[in-house]
Amino acid sequence: MGDVGAEASRWDHGWAAYAPGGLDMHTVPGDHYSFLKPPHLQVLAARLRDALAKAQES
C-alpha cells in the first residue's frame, strides 16, 4: 500500500486522486469534530455554498 506516513503528510491527504478537475483547500474554524457544529458549521456551509456556486459557473 505504500508509505502511509508519506501519504498522510501530503497537503491533500490523498484526496486529489478523487478530484481530477482540481482540488481547493479552505481553512475553517474548529477541529475534526467541532467544525460540524455551530458556530463553525455556518462558516463551513458558506464555504461550500461559494464553492458550489463557482463550480456551477464553470
Side-chain angles (χ1 to χ4, degrees):
M1 275 200 86
D3 185 355
V4 174
E7 182 72 21
S9 68
R10 288 181 34 197
W11 74 271
D12 69 354
H13 298 279
W15 283 101
Y18 302 101
L23 189 66
D24 293 328
M25 183 182 294
H26 300 267
T27 302
V28 295
D31 61 25
H32 187 78
Y33 301 103
S34 67
F35 84 104
L36 293 173
K37 297 178 183 176
H40 306 312
L41 181 58
Q42 286 77 5
V43 175
L44 175 62
R47 299 276 171 81
L48 286 171
R49 187 173 37 251
D50 293 346
L52 289 170
K54 181 180 174 185
Q56 287 180 336
E57 292 172 2
S58 299

